[in-house]
mmCIF file of all heavy atoms in Angstrom:
data_model
loop_
_atom_site.group_PDB
_atom_site.id
_atom_site.type_symbol
_atom_site.label_atom_id
_atom_site.label_comp_id
_atom_site.label_asym_id
_atom_site.label_seq_id
_atom_site.Cartn_x
_atom_site.Cartn_y
_atom_site.Cartn_z
ATOM 1 N N GLY G 256 -40.294 -9.659 -16.705
ATOM 2 C CA GLY G 256 -41.036 -8.426 -16.420
ATOM 3 C C GLY G 256 -40.273 -7.182 -16.856
ATOM 4 O O GLY G 256 -40.854 -6.101 -16.959
ATOM 5 N N LEU G 257 -38.970 -7.354 -17.130
ATOM 6 C CA LEU G 257 -38.200 -6.194 -17.589
ATOM 7 C C LEU G 257 -38.589 -5.874 -19.042
ATOM 8 O O LEU G 257 -38.664 -6.779 -19.870
ATOM 9 C CB LEU G 257 -36.695 -6.520 -17.507
ATOM 10 C CG LEU G 257 -35.726 -5.470 -18.073
ATOM 11 C CD1 LEU G 257 -35.826 -4.142 -17.327
ATOM 12 C CD2 LEU G 257 -34.276 -5.980 -18.016
ATOM 13 N N GLU G 258 -38.846 -4.600 -19.297
ATOM 14 C CA GLU G 258 -39.182 -4.176 -20.667
ATOM 15 C C GLU G 258 -38.387 -2.925 -21.022
ATOM 16 O O GLU G 258 -38.142 -2.075 -20.162
ATOM 17 C CB GLU G 258 -40.685 -3.873 -20.780
ATOM 18 C CG GLU G 258 -41.541 -5.098 -20.512
ATOM 19 C CD GLU G 258 -42.997 -4.960 -20.935
ATOM 20 O OE1 GLU G 258 -43.417 -3.837 -21.319
ATOM 21 O OE2 GLU G 258 -43.700 -5.964 -20.880
ATOM 22 N N ILE G 259 -38.020 -2.838 -22.301
ATOM 23 C CA ILE G 259 -37.298 -1.636 -22.740
ATOM 24 C C ILE G 259 -38.075 -0.960 -23.866
ATOM 25 O O ILE G 259 -38.835 -1.616 -24.583
ATOM 26 C CB ILE G 259 -35.861 -1.965 -23.223
ATOM 27 C CG1 ILE G 259 -35.883 -2.796 -24.520
ATOM 28 C CG2 ILE G 259 -35.059 -2.676 -22.153
ATOM 29 C CD1 ILE G 259 -34.770 -2.399 -25.469
ATOM 30 N N LEU G 260 -37.849 0.342 -24.013
ATOM 31 C CA LEU G 260 -38.490 1.072 -25.098
ATOM 32 C C LEU G 260 -37.486 1.161 -26.253
ATOM 33 O O LEU G 260 -36.412 1.755 -26.113
ATOM 34 C CB LEU G 260 -38.901 2.471 -24.629
ATOM 35 C CG LEU G 260 -39.773 3.253 -25.597
ATOM 36 C CD1 LEU G 260 -41.169 2.624 -25.717
ATOM 37 C CD2 LEU G 260 -39.928 4.709 -25.137
ATOM 38 N N ALA G 261 -37.850 0.538 -27.382
ATOM 39 C CA ALA G 261 -36.981 0.598 -28.572
ATOM 40 C C ALA G 261 -37.792 1.297 -29.650
ATOM 41 O O ALA G 261 -38.817 0.771 -30.088
ATOM 42 C CB ALA G 261 -36.596 -0.811 -29.009
ATOM 43 N N GLY G 262 -37.369 2.499 -30.042
ATOM 44 C CA GLY G 262 -38.194 3.311 -30.951
ATOM 45 C C GLY G 262 -39.459 3.660 -30.186
ATOM 46 O O GLY G 262 -39.403 4.209 -29.088
ATOM 47 N N ASP G 263 -40.623 3.291 -30.743
ATOM 48 C CA ASP G 263 -41.849 3.560 -29.983
ATOM 49 C C ASP G 263 -42.498 2.268 -29.488
ATOM 50 O O ASP G 263 -43.682 2.206 -29.221
ATOM 51 C CB ASP G 263 -42.842 4.387 -30.816
ATOM 52 C CG ASP G 263 -43.236 3.668 -32.090
ATOM 53 O OD1 ASP G 263 -42.718 2.555 -32.347
ATOM 54 O OD2 ASP G 263 -44.085 4.203 -32.831
ATOM 55 N N LYS G 264 -41.682 1.219 -29.372
ATOM 56 C CA LYS G 264 -42.237 -0.084 -28.969
ATOM 57 C C LYS G 264 -41.691 -0.538 -27.610
ATOM 58 O O LYS G 264 -40.476 -0.503 -27.384
ATOM 59 C CB LYS G 264 -41.836 -1.165 -29.993
ATOM 60 C CG LYS G 264 -42.255 -0.857 -31.417
ATOM 61 C CD LYS G 264 -43.444 -1.710 -31.803
ATOM 62 C CE LYS G 264 -43.917 -1.490 -33.217
ATOM 63 N NZ LYS G 264 -44.506 -0.165 -33.492
ATOM 64 N N TRP G 265 -42.609 -0.971 -26.766
ATOM 65 C CA TRP G 265 -42.197 -1.572 -25.497
ATOM 66 C C TRP G 265 -41.943 -3.058 -25.736
ATOM 67 O O TRP G 265 -42.848 -3.793 -26.144
ATOM 68 C CB TRP G 265 -43.280 -1.397 -24.430
ATOM 69 C CG TRP G 265 -43.242 -0.047 -23.798
ATOM 70 C CD1 TRP G 265 -44.118 0.975 -23.994
ATOM 71 C CD2 TRP G 265 -42.260 0.432 -22.872
ATOM 72 N NE1 TRP G 265 -43.743 2.069 -23.235
ATOM 73 C CE2 TRP G 265 -42.608 1.757 -22.538
ATOM 74 C CE3 TRP G 265 -41.107 -0.117 -22.274
ATOM 75 C CZ2 TRP G 265 -41.863 2.539 -21.651
ATOM 76 C CZ3 TRP G 265 -40.361 0.671 -21.390
ATOM 77 C CH2 TRP G 265 -40.736 1.968 -21.090
ATOM 78 N N LEU G 266 -40.701 -3.477 -25.500
ATOM 79 C CA LEU G 266 -40.322 -4.864 -25.767
ATOM 80 C C LEU G 266 -39.992 -5.590 -24.470
ATOM 81 O O LEU G 266 -39.182 -5.103 -23.658
ATOM 82 C CB LEU G 266 -39.104 -4.903 -26.704
ATOM 83 C CG LEU G 266 -39.273 -4.199 -28.062
ATOM 84 C CD1 LEU G 266 -37.994 -4.312 -28.883
ATOM 85 C CD2 LEU G 266 -40.469 -4.763 -28.837
ATOM 86 N N ALA G 267 -40.606 -6.758 -24.299
ATOM 87 C CA ALA G 267 -40.340 -7.575 -23.100
ATOM 88 C C ALA G 267 -39.009 -8.298 -23.292
ATOM 89 O O ALA G 267 -38.746 -8.865 -24.354
ATOM 90 C CB ALA G 267 -41.465 -8.580 -22.928
ATOM 91 N N VAL G 268 -38.181 -8.269 -22.242
ATOM 92 C CA VAL G 268 -36.887 -8.957 -22.312
ATOM 93 C C VAL G 268 -37.059 -10.340 -21.684
ATOM 94 O O VAL G 268 -37.235 -10.453 -20.463
ATOM 95 C CB VAL G 268 -35.801 -8.155 -21.545
ATOM 96 C CG1 VAL G 268 -34.453 -8.874 -21.612
ATOM 97 C CG2 VAL G 268 -35.695 -6.732 -22.085
ATOM 98 N N PRO G 269 -37.027 -11.410 -22.494
ATOM 99 C CA PRO G 269 -37.236 -12.743 -21.916
ATOM 100 C C PRO G 269 -36.100 -13.080 -20.955
ATOM 101 O O PRO G 269 -34.933 -12.840 -21.270
ATOM 102 C CB PRO G 269 -37.197 -13.684 -23.131
ATOM 103 C CG PRO G 269 -37.331 -12.804 -24.330
ATOM 104 C CD PRO G 269 -36.784 -11.463 -23.945
ATOM 105 N N PRO G 270 -36.435 -13.595 -19.764
ATOM 106 C CA PRO G 270 -35.370 -13.883 -18.802
ATOM 107 C C PRO G 270 -34.460 -14.996 -19.293
ATOM 108 O O PRO G 270 -34.928 -15.955 -19.898
ATOM 109 C CB PRO G 270 -36.119 -14.327 -17.548
ATOM 110 C CG PRO G 270 -37.527 -14.535 -17.929
ATOM 111 C CD PRO G 270 -37.775 -13.919 -19.260
ATOM 112 N N ARG G 271 -33.162 -14.829 -19.046
ATOM 113 C CA ARG G 271 -32.171 -15.868 -19.372
ATOM 114 C C ARG G 271 -31.268 -15.966 -18.177
ATOM 115 O O ARG G 271 -30.615 -14.991 -17.808
ATOM 116 C CB ARG G 271 -31.342 -15.431 -20.583
ATOM 117 C CG ARG G 271 -32.025 -15.696 -21.896
ATOM 118 C CD ARG G 271 -31.015 -15.603 -23.012
ATOM 119 N NE ARG G 271 -29.951 -16.585 -22.916
ATOM 120 C CZ ARG G 271 -29.573 -17.370 -23.901
ATOM 121 N NH1 ARG G 271 -30.200 -17.337 -25.055
ATOM 122 N NH2 ARG G 271 -28.552 -18.196 -23.753
ATOM 123 N N GLN G 272 -31.186 -17.151 -17.597
ATOM 124 C CA GLN G 272 -30.401 -17.288 -16.376
ATOM 125 C C GLN G 272 -28.909 -17.076 -16.627
ATOM 126 O O GLN G 272 -28.161 -16.726 -15.722
ATOM 127 C CB GLN G 272 -30.675 -18.643 -15.720
ATOM 128 C CG GLN G 272 -32.135 -18.808 -15.277
ATOM 129 C CD GLN G 272 -32.685 -17.563 -14.575
ATOM 130 O OE1 GLN G 272 -32.283 -17.275 -13.451
ATOM 131 N NE2 GLN G 272 -33.570 -16.795 -15.216
ATOM 132 N N ASP G 273 -28.470 -17.272 -17.882
ATOM 133 C CA ASP G 273 -27.034 -17.141 -18.182
ATOM 134 C C ASP G 273 -26.652 -15.728 -18.640
ATOM 135 O O ASP G 273 -25.515 -15.489 -19.009
ATOM 136 C CB ASP G 273 -26.626 -18.161 -19.258
ATOM 137 C CG ASP G 273 -27.422 -17.983 -20.556
ATOM 138 O OD1 ASP G 273 -28.463 -17.274 -20.527
ATOM 139 O OD2 ASP G 273 -27.000 -18.518 -21.591
ATOM 140 N N ALA G 274 -27.609 -14.809 -18.643
ATOM 141 C CA ALA G 274 -27.310 -13.481 -19.208
ATOM 142 C C ALA G 274 -27.459 -12.367 -18.184
ATOM 143 O O ALA G 274 -28.265 -12.463 -17.246
ATOM 144 C CB ALA G 274 -28.249 -13.209 -20.382
ATOM 145 N N PHE G 275 -26.682 -11.304 -18.367
ATOM 146 C CA PHE G 275 -26.918 -10.045 -17.660
ATOM 147 C C PHE G 275 -27.435 -9.033 -18.672
ATOM 148 O O PHE G 275 -26.932 -8.960 -19.800
ATOM 149 C CB PHE G 275 -25.626 -9.509 -17.037
ATOM 150 C CG PHE G 275 -25.255 -10.213 -15.762
ATOM 151 C CD1 PHE G 275 -24.223 -11.135 -15.745
ATOM 152 C CD2 PHE G 275 -25.950 -9.958 -14.588
ATOM 153 C CE1 PHE G 275 -23.889 -11.800 -14.575
ATOM 154 C CE2 PHE G 275 -25.616 -10.618 -13.407
ATOM 155 C CZ PHE G 275 -24.585 -11.537 -13.401
ATOM 156 N N ALA G 276 -28.449 -8.284 -18.241
ATOM 157 C CA ALA G 276 -28.973 -7.198 -19.072
ATOM 158 C C ALA G 276 -28.214 -5.929 -18.703
ATOM 159 O O ALA G 276 -27.986 -5.660 -17.520
ATOM 160 C CB ALA G 276 -30.459 -7.034 -18.788
ATOM 161 N N ILE G 277 -27.815 -5.178 -19.720
ATOM 162 C CA ILE G 277 -27.058 -3.938 -19.468
ATOM 163 C C ILE G 277 -27.855 -2.749 -20.014
ATOM 164 O O ILE G 277 -28.196 -2.711 -21.197
ATOM 165 C CB ILE G 277 -25.681 -3.966 -20.191
ATOM 166 C CG1 ILE G 277 -24.929 -5.298 -19.972
ATOM 167 C CG2 ILE G 277 -24.828 -2.756 -19.786
ATOM 168 C CD1 ILE G 277 -24.438 -5.578 -18.583
ATOM 169 N N ASN G 278 -28.126 -1.793 -19.119
ATOM 170 C CA ASN G 278 -28.767 -0.537 -19.537
ATOM 171 C C ASN G 278 -27.729 0.563 -19.556
ATOM 172 O O ASN G 278 -27.003 0.725 -18.569
ATOM 173 C CB ASN G 278 -29.779 -0.031 -18.487
ATOM 174 C CG ASN G 278 -30.968 -0.914 -18.342
ATOM 175 O OD1 ASN G 278 -31.533 -1.343 -19.324
ATOM 176 N ND2 ASN G 278 -31.338 -1.185 -17.097
ATOM 177 N N ILE G 279 -27.733 1.347 -20.604
ATOM 178 C CA ILE G 279 -26.955 2.587 -20.558
ATOM 179 C C ILE G 279 -27.761 3.578 -19.716
ATOM 180 O O ILE G 279 -28.978 3.692 -19.872
ATOM 181 C CB ILE G 279 -26.754 3.160 -21.987
ATOM 182 C CG1 ILE G 279 -25.936 2.199 -22.857
ATOM 183 C CG2 ILE G 279 -26.114 4.548 -21.954
ATOM 184 C CD1 ILE G 279 -24.500 1.975 -22.424
ATOM 185 N N GLY G 280 -27.077 4.268 -18.797
ATOM 186 C CA GLY G 280 -27.747 5.262 -17.946
ATOM 187 C C GLY G 280 -27.372 6.682 -18.371
ATOM 188 O O GLY G 280 -26.512 6.888 -19.237
ATOM 189 N N ASP G 281 -28.012 7.655 -17.730
ATOM 190 C CA ASP G 281 -27.828 9.066 -18.114
ATOM 191 C C ASP G 281 -26.368 9.520 -18.065
ATOM 192 O O ASP G 281 -25.919 10.282 -18.907
ATOM 193 C CB ASP G 281 -28.623 9.962 -17.161
ATOM 194 C CG ASP G 281 -30.121 9.718 -17.263
ATOM 195 O OD1 ASP G 281 -30.600 9.391 -18.366
ATOM 196 O OD2 ASP G 281 -30.797 9.850 -16.230
ATOM 197 N N THR G 282 -25.636 9.066 -17.034
ATOM 198 C CA THR G 282 -24.251 9.552 -16.914
ATOM 199 C C THR G 282 -23.410 9.051 -18.079
ATOM 200 O O THR G 282 -22.566 9.789 -18.607
ATOM 201 C CB THR G 282 -23.639 9.126 -15.563
ATOM 202 O OG1 THR G 282 -24.485 9.606 -14.529
ATOM 203 C CG2 THR G 282 -22.248 9.689 -15.361
ATOM 204 N N PHE G 283 -23.659 7.812 -18.533
ATOM 205 C CA PHE G 283 -22.868 7.364 -19.687
ATOM 206 C C PHE G 283 -23.293 8.091 -20.958
ATOM 207 O O PHE G 283 -22.463 8.357 -21.840
ATOM 208 C CB PHE G 283 -22.900 5.839 -19.886
ATOM 209 C CG PHE G 283 -21.755 5.427 -20.770
ATOM 210 C CD1 PHE G 283 -20.493 5.193 -20.231
ATOM 211 C CD2 PHE G 283 -21.901 5.388 -22.150
ATOM 212 C CE1 PHE G 283 -19.406 4.922 -21.049
ATOM 213 C CE2 PHE G 283 -20.825 5.102 -22.970
ATOM 214 C CZ PHE G 283 -19.580 4.865 -22.422
ATOM 215 N N THR G 284 -24.569 8.442 -21.053
ATOM 216 C CA THR G 284 -25.010 9.241 -22.209
ATOM 217 C C THR G 284 -24.176 10.523 -22.271
ATOM 218 O O THR G 284 -23.692 10.928 -23.331
ATOM 219 C CB THR G 284 -26.522 9.555 -22.088
ATOM 220 O OG1 THR G 284 -27.217 8.330 -22.226
ATOM 221 C CG2 THR G 284 -26.991 10.517 -23.154
ATOM 222 N N ALA G 285 -23.985 11.147 -21.114
ATOM 223 C CA ALA G 285 -23.170 12.365 -21.077
ATOM 224 C C ALA G 285 -21.700 12.049 -21.404
ATOM 225 O O ALA G 285 -21.049 12.783 -22.155
ATOM 226 C CB ALA G 285 -23.282 13.026 -19.713
ATOM 227 N N PHE G 286 -21.191 10.919 -20.884
ATOM 228 C CA PHE G 286 -19.805 10.507 -21.169
ATOM 229 C C PHE G 286 -19.597 10.286 -22.679
ATOM 230 O O PHE G 286 -18.482 10.370 -23.179
ATOM 231 C CB PHE G 286 -19.507 9.183 -20.465
ATOM 232 C CG PHE G 286 -18.832 9.302 -19.122
ATOM 233 C CD1 PHE G 286 -19.300 8.584 -18.027
ATOM 234 C CD2 PHE G 286 -17.701 10.092 -18.948
ATOM 235 C CE1 PHE G 286 -18.667 8.646 -16.791
ATOM 236 C CE2 PHE G 286 -17.058 10.154 -17.714
ATOM 237 C CZ PHE G 286 -17.540 9.440 -16.636
ATOM 238 N N SER G 287 -20.669 9.924 -23.381
ATOM 239 C CA SER G 287 -20.537 9.651 -24.823
ATOM 240 C C SER G 287 -20.945 10.881 -25.639
ATOM 241 O O SER G 287 -21.125 10.778 -26.858
ATOM 242 C CB SER G 287 -21.420 8.457 -25.215
ATOM 243 O OG SER G 287 -22.789 8.819 -25.198
ATOM 244 N N ASN G 288 -21.115 12.000 -24.985
ATOM 245 C CA ASN G 288 -21.565 13.236 -25.620
ATOM 246 C C ASN G 288 -22.901 13.045 -26.347
ATOM 247 O O ASN G 288 -23.119 13.570 -27.449
ATOM 248 C CB ASN G 288 -20.502 13.758 -26.598
ATOM 249 C CG ASN G 288 -20.660 15.258 -26.847
ATOM 250 O OD1 ASN G 288 -21.169 15.989 -25.981
ATOM 251 N ND2 ASN G 288 -20.266 15.721 -28.011
ATOM 252 N N GLY G 289 -23.774 12.272 -25.738
ATOM 253 C CA GLY G 289 -25.130 12.095 -26.278
ATOM 254 C C GLY G 289 -25.236 11.067 -27.391
ATOM 255 O O GLY G 289 -26.321 10.841 -27.929
#
Side-chain angles (χ1 to χ4, degrees):
L257 174 62
E258 297 194 352
I259 67 142
L260 189 68
D263 60 358
K264 303 255 181 293
W265 279 107
L266 302 180
V268 180
R271 278 196 62 130
Q272 297 316 289
D273 59 345
F275 282 105
I277 313 292
N278 293 315
I279 297 295
D281 296 327
T282 304
F283 198 85
T284 293
F286 264 133
S287 72
N288 203 27

